[in-house]
């Protein structure tokens, strides 16, 4: 034997077991070497792998294991010591790496496992999201269906189309077997089958409204599942098939009066219709939540659409009614107009036709009265005259009244003398008064304006009528007529509660009271006095005659003059007072009866309008004198100032064209100066124009000034424009009396 | 202060005097009478008014101080004062004078004394106001500006 350092294996190399070990080791090594390669290959392929270090370790571990097994191949036969050394080294390394790897795996395996759990979690989440997506999609579909349905339903205003469309569309969307609508009858005690999907003309099935199942549906705003066996659901013969699930929902029928502007009507309305929906027969389909919601929404929409349709129907009906009424009113108006025209024509004709013969009768009778007549004849003629006068008055009254009622009477406004009117009335009644031996007194208030603006003729007619009545109904005694301007306090009369005259700047209210001590009027007859043709029935009035129209006409006139007339009496035999108030205008400029009306001269606007006009100013008050001088100087006059009347008389000469004097000058009376000036200058053209400046606004001052021969009176304070116009008036007319 | 500002102040002051009733439209008339030929018209009239009124008020005080008051004389004085104040447009003084005259007619001594106080009070007030007004005008003229005309709405 050689002395080699070989190690003899225990077993002989040619044993079968050895051969199998040999082959196994070889394949193990192969496998161990290929696993890392595979790992590396696949890891390189994958995008991310966080555990490279682990990989390296693992690879090393595997490679070394493989190496170990590979070297085992040599140790089955006789092998040198080197191989044994290598084998040992390899085994040592393998051991080391294996231990390290084992230690490291403790850390890594939990991580890897948790990755797995996270993956599982994410998968679950994804599944959930998928489910939710599914739900949302279905909801969206439902919404789309609702919108479409609503659009279909609301696109028409015809009730039948609305309901029919609803049923059809619902049937289509939800794939229903049958769909029906039950409407309440007029009496509200039953539900009647009105519309169905499949059957064309449902023939009056009715169901009493107070069934428990119906009450249940009506009391809830949701769609309610009902049993297919209940009467409302037996709308479709199901035959041998099992009927599908049935759902019922209430449809509120809203009345017009339920629509308030600011809030949605509470569903306190009691009327509902019932909508019943049936799923297809023999299907396992169930009513799903979103389908129920769809049905509820549709029911609401139908309610709204129906109410719109109802409103439309209502408004069409109202419009038709109005049109009919319009036509009827139009015709009535035309008829009324024709009637009025006919009456007016008649009156116009009668007016003329009746007056002519009347006139002839009256004229000839009065002429006859003037001739020689026997007493009986005279009596007869007088009666004829009296009767025809009466008739004439009646005709006039009737014509006037009809015109007044038409509203076609208009006042003839003009400026007239108020005092003269009263005097005229007195003159007219004087004959009767003297015959009846009545005493008449007229009392005109001092503040009553002399001139007024109004309808003189009709005012006189009214006063005459009232006074005439007083005279007529008085056998003896006295009649007093008072006239004054109505003041504000006196206007709060109980009689005039609805009449509130407001005195103003350019008008005043004339109040006339006519008091008599005649037969009087009983209080219950007072309202009748002013009605046409009504007369108190006492015999006294019968004898006095009269048409009963007089007061009615007076009342119309007074109303036209925006006034009020009434009668007060304490009773029969106690006399009576007739009072009326009318609105009269105040004329713009009071016309002085002595002076002619002066045209307004446009004022000169130049500053020196009166160049060099010599003027004398007499005023004791220094300030006032200076101001007047300033005014006149500004207007270009040549002003001399004096402060006393003696000085004035001394200085005044025929060069002075105007003398302005303050009217209240102590010492010598201002008026005296005027007289003295008149004496001094006898010839008119030499005498200066004398004008008084006064702060007094009463008539007395003015009258005094006029009396002493002053040519003008002006009110202080005098403005520049006023002085200018005053001077131009004076120089043109030589006279100026300012209206006070 | 420049001229525009002074003028505006004058206008505002004048307007307040009118609003408060110290002056009425007559004063405006006086201002209208002032022109180049008569540049100091207003000042002259106002000064005259002051002199006149002082004298009258003194006379009134003396007359009412007498044991036997001569109401005719008192009335005459008040009439004069009324005339002056209305010529110049001193509205409140004028109104006080009117009241004074009424009491003079009644020969009511206590009331007339009260009225005299009232008239004096109003007079001094308006005198103060007018002096301020004229001073403002002088300032404007001295600064080279012109006195603005007042447009009144009434």
């Amino acid at each position: 034997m050689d002395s080699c350092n070989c190690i003899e294996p225990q077993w002989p190399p040619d044993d079968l077991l050895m051969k199998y070990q040999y082959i196994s080791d070889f394949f193990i090594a192969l496998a161990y070497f290929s696993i890392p390669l595979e790992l590396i290959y696949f890891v390189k392929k994958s995008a991310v792998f966080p555990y490279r270090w682990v990989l390296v370790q693992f690879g090393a571990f595997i490679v070394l294991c493989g190496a170990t097994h590979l070297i085992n191949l040599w140790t089955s036969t006789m092998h040198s010591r080197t191989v044994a050394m290598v084998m040992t080294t390899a085994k040592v390394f393998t051991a080391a790496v294996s231990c390290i790897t084992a230690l490291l795996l403790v850390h890594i395996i939990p991580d890897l496992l948790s990755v797995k759990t996270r993956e599982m979690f994410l998968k679950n989440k994804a599944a959930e999201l998928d489910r939710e997506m599914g739900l949302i999609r279905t909801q969206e579909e439902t919404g789309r269906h609702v919108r479409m349905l609503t659009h279909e339903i609301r696109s028409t205003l015809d009730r039948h189309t609305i309901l029919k469309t609803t049923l059809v569309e619902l049937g289509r969307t939800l794939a229903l077997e049958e769909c029906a609508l039950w409407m309440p009858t007029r009496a509200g005690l039953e539900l009647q089958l009105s519309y169905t999907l499949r059957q064309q003309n449902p023939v009056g099935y009715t169901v009493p409204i107070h069934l428990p199942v119906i009450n249940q549906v009506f009391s809830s705003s949701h769609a309610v599942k009902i049993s297919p066996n209940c009467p409302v659901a037996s709308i479709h013969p199901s035959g041998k098939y099992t009927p599908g699930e049935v759902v019922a929902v209430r449809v509120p029928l809203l009345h017009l009066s339920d629509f308030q502007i600011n809030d949605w009507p509470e569903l306190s309305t009691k009327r509902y219709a019932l909508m019943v929906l049936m799923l297809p027969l023999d299907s396992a389909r169930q009513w799903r939540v979103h389908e129920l919601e769809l049905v509820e929404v549709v029911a609401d929409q139908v309610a709204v659409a129906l109410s719109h349709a109802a409103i439309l129907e209502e408004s069409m009906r109202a419009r038709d009614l109005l049109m009919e009424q319009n036509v009827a009113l139009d015709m009535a108006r035309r008829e009324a107009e024709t009637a009025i025209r006919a009456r007016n024509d008649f009156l116009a004709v009668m007016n003329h036709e009746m007056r002519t013969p009347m006139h002839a009768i009256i004229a000839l009778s009065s002429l006859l009265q003037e001739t020689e007549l026997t007493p009986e004849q005279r009596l007869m003629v007088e009666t004829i005259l009296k009767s025809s006068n009466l008739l004439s008055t009646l005709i006039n009254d009737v014509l006037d009244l009809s015109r007044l009622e038409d509203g076609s009477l208009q006042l003839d406004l003009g400026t007239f003398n108020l005092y003269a009117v009263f005097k005229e009335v007195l003159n007219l009644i004087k004959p009767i008064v003297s015959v009846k031996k009545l005493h008449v007194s007229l009392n005109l208030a001092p503040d009553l304006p002399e001139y007024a603006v109004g309808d003189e003729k009709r005012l006189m007619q009214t006063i005459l009528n009232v006074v005439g009545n007083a005279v007529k109904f008085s056998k003896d005694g006295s009649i007093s007529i008072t006239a004054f301007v109505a003041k504000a306090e006196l206007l709060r009369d109980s009689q005039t509660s609805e009449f509130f005259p407001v005195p103003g700047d350019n008008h005043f209210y004339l109040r006339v009271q006519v008091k008599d001590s005649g037969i009087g009027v009983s209080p219950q007859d007072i309202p009748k006095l002013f009605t046409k043709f009504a007369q108190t029935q006492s015999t006294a009035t019968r004898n006095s005659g009269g048409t009963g129209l007089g007061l009615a006409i007076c009342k119309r006139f007074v109303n036209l003059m925006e006034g009020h007339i009434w009668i007060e009496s304490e009773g029969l035999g106690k006399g009576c007072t007739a009072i009326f108030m009318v609105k009269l205008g105040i004329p713009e400029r009071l016309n002085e009866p002595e002076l002619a009306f002066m045209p307004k001269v446009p004022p000169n606007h130049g500053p020196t309008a009166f160049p060099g006009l010599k003027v004398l100013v007499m005023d004791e008050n220094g300030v006032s004198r200076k101001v007047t001088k300033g005014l006149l100087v500004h207007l270009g006059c040549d002003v001399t100032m004096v402060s006393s009347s003696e000085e004035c008389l001394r200085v005044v000469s025929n060069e002075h064209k105007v003398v302005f004097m303050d009217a209240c000058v102590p010492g010598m009376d201002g008026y005296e100066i005027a007289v003295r000036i008149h004496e001094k200058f006898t010839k008119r053209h030499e005498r200066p124009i004398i004008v008084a400046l006064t702060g007094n606004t009463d008539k007395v001052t003015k009258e005094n000034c006029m009396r002493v021969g002053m040519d003008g009176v002006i009110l202080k304070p005098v403005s520049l424009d006023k002085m200018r116009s005053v001077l131009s008036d004076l120089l043109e007319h030589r006279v100026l009396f300012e209206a006070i | 202060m420049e001229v525009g500002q002074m003028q505006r102040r004058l206008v505002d002051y004048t307007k307040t005097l009118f609003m408060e009733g110290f002056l009425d439209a007559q004063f405006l008339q006086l201002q209208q009478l002032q022109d180049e030929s008569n540049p100091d018209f207003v000042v002259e009239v106002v000064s005259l008014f002051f002199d006149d009124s002082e004298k009258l008020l003194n006379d009134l005080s003396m007359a009412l101080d007498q044991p036997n008051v001569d109401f005719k004389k008192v009335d005459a004085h008040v009439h004069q004062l009324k005339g002056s104040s209305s010529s110049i447009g001193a509205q409140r003084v004028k109104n006080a004078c009117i009241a004074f005259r009424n009491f003079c007619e009644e020969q009511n001594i206590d009331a007339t004394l009260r009225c005299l106080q009232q008239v004096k009070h109003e007079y001094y007030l308006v005198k103060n106001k007018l002096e301020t007004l004229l001073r403002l005008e002088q300032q404007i003229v001295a600064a080279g500006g012109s006195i603005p005309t007042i447009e009144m709405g009434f």
Side-chain angles (χ1 to χ4, degrees), chain A residues 268-336:
Chain A
S268 56
T269 163
K270 294 288 182 277
R271 283 168 59 89
Y272 297 109
L274 192 71
M275 196 151 62
V276 177
L277 306 118
M278 193 195 294
L279 284 182
L281 308 167
D282 249 6
S283 74
R285 245 181 77 187
Q286 300 250 331
W287 280 99
R288 293 211 287 278
V289 172
H290 72 271
E291 286 173 346
L292 291 177
E293 281 172 6
L294 176 71
V295 165
E296 285 157 25
V297 169
V298 168
D300 279 333
Q301 288 297 323
V302 165
V304 171
L306 281 177
S307 49
H308 281 189
I311 291 176
L312 182 70
E313 269 174 41
E314 190 66 38
S315 67
M316 300 286 273
R317 228 200 350 234
R319 192 192 64 169
D320 285 337
L321 200 63
L322 275 172
M323 270 179 31
E324 268 174 39
Q325 276 181 347
N326 247 2
V327 168
L329 280 170
D330 211 26
M331 204 141 73
R333 184 178 58 92
R334 268 200 294 265
E335 278 173 19

Side-chain angles (χ1 to χ4, degrees), chain A residues 548-718:
Chain A
L549 275 182
L551 278 177
I553 292 185
C554 283
K555 189 173 161 120
R556 296 294 199 291
F557 284 153
V558 164
N559 284 341
L560 268 180
M561 296 192 224
E562 296 180 55
H564 191 69
I565 179 171
W566 70 98
I567 293 202
E568 290 165 6
S569 171
E570 286 165 37
L572 286 169
K574 296 204 177 76
C576 109
T577 312
I579 309 169
F580 70 86
M581 277 201 268
V582 290
K583 181 172 163 189
L584 295 174
I586 300 175
E588 294 251 336
R589 270 176 77 151
L590 288 172
N591 293 332
E592 293 301 325
E594 303 92 43
L595 298 173
F597 184 67
M598 277 187 284
K600 244 182 142 42
V601 178
N604 295 325
H605 285 291
T608 56
F610 314 97
L613 181 72
K614 269 182 99 77
V615 174
L616 184 66
V617 171
M618 189 197 83
D619 194 336
E620 222 211 17
N621 187 316
V623 176
S624 152
R625 197 171 58 225
K626 192 166 169 69
V627 171
T628 315
K629 176 183 171 183
L631 270 175
L632 292 164
V633 163
H634 193 79
L635 290 172
C637 306
D638 179 0
V639 181
T640 320
M641 296 217 292
V642 292
S643 57
S644 74
S645 25
E646 292 88 358
E647 207 181 340
C648 172
L649 283 172
R650 230 186 8 249
V651 170
V652 74
S653 71
N654 56 356
E655 284 178 285
H656 295 110
K657 288 283 177 283
V658 188
V659 172
F660 286 100
M661 62 172 64
D662 190 14
C664 5
V665 173
M668 205 184 288
D669 199 13
Y671 307 132
E672 265 204 52
I673 303 177
V675 174
R676 291 288 184 84
I677 294 181
H678 270 277
E679 287 167 6
K680 193 164 170 185
F681 302 96
T682 47
K683 296 206 187 49
R684 194 151 187 253
H685 64 265
E686 284 173 47
R687 181 172 64 80
I689 304 173
I690 310 172
V691 179
L693 291 166
T694 172
N696 283 341
T697 58
D698 58 338
K699 277 196 164 186
V700 175
T701 317
K702 192 167 120 189
E703 281 169 14
N704 288 341
C705 294
M706 276 162 56
R707 207 170 20 89
V708 298
M710 293 210 188
D711 302 302
V713 177
I714 307 177
L715 233 42
K716 278 205 281 201
V718 191

Side-chain angles (χ1 to χ4, degrees), chain A residues 182-194 205-207 209 253 271-272:
Chain A
W182 298 76
M183 301 279 275
T185 54
R186 277 212 185 277
L189 293 174
E190 294 182 319
L191 285 178
Q192 190 181 25
L193 183 61
S194 316
Y205 293 125
T206 52
V207 161
I209 208 169
L253 297 175
R271 283 168 59 89
Y272 297 109

Side-chain angles (χ1 to χ4, degrees), chain B:
Chain B
M1 209 187 300
E2 48 95 26
V3 177
Q5 248 178 315
M6 284 199 281
Q7 284 173 332
R8 266 195 299 281
R9 231 179 56 167
L10 176 66
V11 169
D12 288 346
Y13 189 73
T14 318
K15 279 200 174 142
T16 38
L17 289 184
F18 280 98
M19 297 295 176
E20 290 170 3
F22 284 106
L23 298 175
D24 61 9
Q26 181 65 13
F27 189 76
L28 281 179
Q29 291 292 327
L30 292 187
Q31 284 185 328
Q32 277 186 14
L33 295 176
Q34 183 161 301
D35 53 1
E36 311 80 55
S37 59
N38 224 343
D40 294 329
F41 183 72
V42 176
V43 174
E44 284 170 9
V45 176
V46 170
S47 319
L48 196 54
F49 170 67
F50 288 159
D51 294 343
D52 226 9
S53 308
E54 304 273 331
K55 197 167 82 63
L56 281 169
L57 286 172
N58 280 340
D59 290 349
L60 276 169
S61 307
M62 273 198 322
L64 282 175
D65 230 3
Q66 306 288 329
N68 289 345
V69 178
D70 184 0
F71 279 99
K72 278 203 164 32
K73 217 160 90 164
V74 170
D75 188 43
H77 287 318
V78 178
H79 177 73
Q80 286 289 315
L81 187 58
K82 176 176 152 227
S84 316
S85 54
S86 63
S87 297
I88 205 175
Q91 197 180 32
R92 280 161 65 147
V93 179
K94 177 185 83 174
N95 291 342
C97 287
I98 294 176
F100 201 154
R101 287 194 84 195
N102 289 339
F103 284 118
C104 274
E105 272 180 28
E106 294 172 16
Q107 306 215 340
N108 185 339
I109 294 193
D110 294 346
T112 44
L113 278 170
R114 271 202 308 275
C115 280
L116 177 63
Q117 292 313 313
Q118 179 71 16
V119 167
K120 274 189 176 167
H121 174 68
E122 290 298 339
Y123 165 70
Y124 284 122
L125 275 178
V126 82
K127 174 169 173 188
N128 197 354
K129 305 276 183 193
L130 282 172
E131 280 175 352
T132 315
L133 190 73
L134 291 176
R135 216 180 14 254
L136 281 174
E137 287 190 359
Q138 276 173 6
Q139 281 175 358
I140 294 180
V141 170
S146 63
I147 297 169
T149 44
I150 317 275
E151 296 297 319
M152 284 289 152
F154 47 86

Side-chain angles (χ1 to χ4, degrees), chain A residues 56-83:
Chain A
V56 165
Q57 265 187 318
F58 220 64
F61 163 62
I62 293 181
V63 161
L64 284 171
C65 281
T68 318
H69 282 286
L70 193 64
I71 296 172
N72 251 351
L73 289 177
W74 273 270
T75 55
S76 55
T77 53
M78 195 172 340
H79 51 277
S80 63
R81 194 158 185 93
T82 342
V83 174

